[in-house]
Amino acid sequence: MGVETMIVSSIVQGAMAYGQGQSNASSIRSAGKIAQMQSDFQSELLETRKTEILAQGDVEAYERQQQLKQMLGSQKVAFAAQGIEVEGDLGYDLAEDAKRTSDADVKAIKNNAWKQSMGIEMDQADLALQSQYNNIQAESRANDAYSKGVSGAIQGGVNAFSTFSKNPGAFRSGSKSIPTKNKSYTSNYKKGSLTERLA
């Protein structure tokens, strides 16, 4: 392999290494952005699920309150049908018992919904932490790939310069310069008119 070819090859290899480093870094960052988009989408799904659970808890709590009111009304009707007065102390006791039962059931329903929503929030926190870790890792790999490309380019330049330094005449013209010998010419001018000198 000629010296000129070696120099050009080193330069080309350096350029290719730099280009490959840029390409790898870009690919890694693109993959990281896609992963971030997927993570964000999953987080949005979890947020939607959490909202649905809390809303469903409110609905169930309201329905339970309505059921207990209906049950209380049915009890009063049943007592009245048997001739039992339900507007006095007995009615008060029935209402208070229904209220305690209703409050306990509603609290249990809402607590259950809250626990489920807290579980989802923990999943969201884990997802965000994992996403942050993945982003750091992706950026680190991208920087590493780019640095390798730069190192390859520098190494190619160093190799080319080293080869050129050892062979400084590699790119000089092959033609030999023709030395010119300085000759001195003496002109003797005769005195006289211009016409006489041209004659």
Side-chain angles (χ1 to χ4, degrees):
M1 182 183 291
V3 175
E4 296 91 341
T5 303
M6 292 174 62
I7 293 174
V8 172
S9 177
S10 295
I11 294 173
V12 170
Q13 288 178 358
M16 290 178 64
Y18 180 75
Q20 187 63 46
Q22 278 190 318
S23 178
N24 291 342
S26 178
S27 297
I28 292 170
R29 288 193 174 98
S30 295
K33 289 180 181 178
I34 292 173
Q36 181 63 53
M37 290 172 62
Q38 292 175 336
S39 178
D40 291 342
F41 179 69
Q42 291 177 355
S43 182
E44 289 176 4
L45 290 178
L46 289 173
E47 184 65 26
T48 300
R49 178 59 181 155
K50 183 178 71 173
T51 302
E52 290 175 348
I53 287 173
L54 292 174
Q56 184 63 29
D58 290 338
V59 170
E60 291 179 1
Y62 175 77
E63 290 178 347
R64 185 56 178 160
Q65 287 176 326
Q66 294 303 111
Q67 290 172 358
L68 289 171
K69 286 181 180 180
Q70 291 175 1
M71 184 182 69
L72 177 60
S74 299
Q75 286 178 340
K76 287 183 177 181
V77 170
F79 281 126
Q82 297 175 11
I84 302 174
E85 180 62 42
V86 293
E87 297 302 328
D89 293 339
L90 178 58
Y92 177 80
D93 290 339
L94 288 174
E96 286 298 310
D97 183 62
K99 185 177 183 302
R100 283 193 296 269
T101 303
S102 175
D103 290 344
D105 289 350
V106 167
K107 184 177 180 180
I109 291 170
K110 290 191 173 183
N111 281 345
N112 184 52
W114 181 80
K115 287 178 181 178
Q116 290 185 57
S117 68
M118 287 300 99
I120 290 177
E121 285 193 4
M122 291 179 65
D123 291 340
Q124 287 178 305
D126 289 341
L127 185 62
L129 186 62
Q130 184 63 43
S131 178
Q132 184 179 9
Y133 174 77
N134 290 340
N135 288 338
I136 293 173
Q137 289 291 98
E139 186 62 24
S140 176
R141 291 196 301 270
N143 289 336
D144 184 58
Y146 181 77
S147 296
K148 287 181 179 178
V150 173
S151 296
I154 293 174
Q155 187 61 48
V158 170
N159 291 341
F161 181 77
S162 176
T163 302
F164 179 78
S165 297
K166 294 176 182 177
N167 302 273
F171 286 97
R172 290 181 182 176
S173 174
S175 62
K176 296 181 179 180
S177 59
I178 300 174
T180 58
K181 185 177 180 181
N182 293 328
K183 295 181 180 180
S184 58
Y185 296 92
T186 305
S187 298
N188 294 320
Y189 293 94
K190 293 180 181 181
K191 294 181 179 180
S193 66
L194 177 63
T195 305
E196 290 177 346
R197 279 182 283 164
L198 294 176

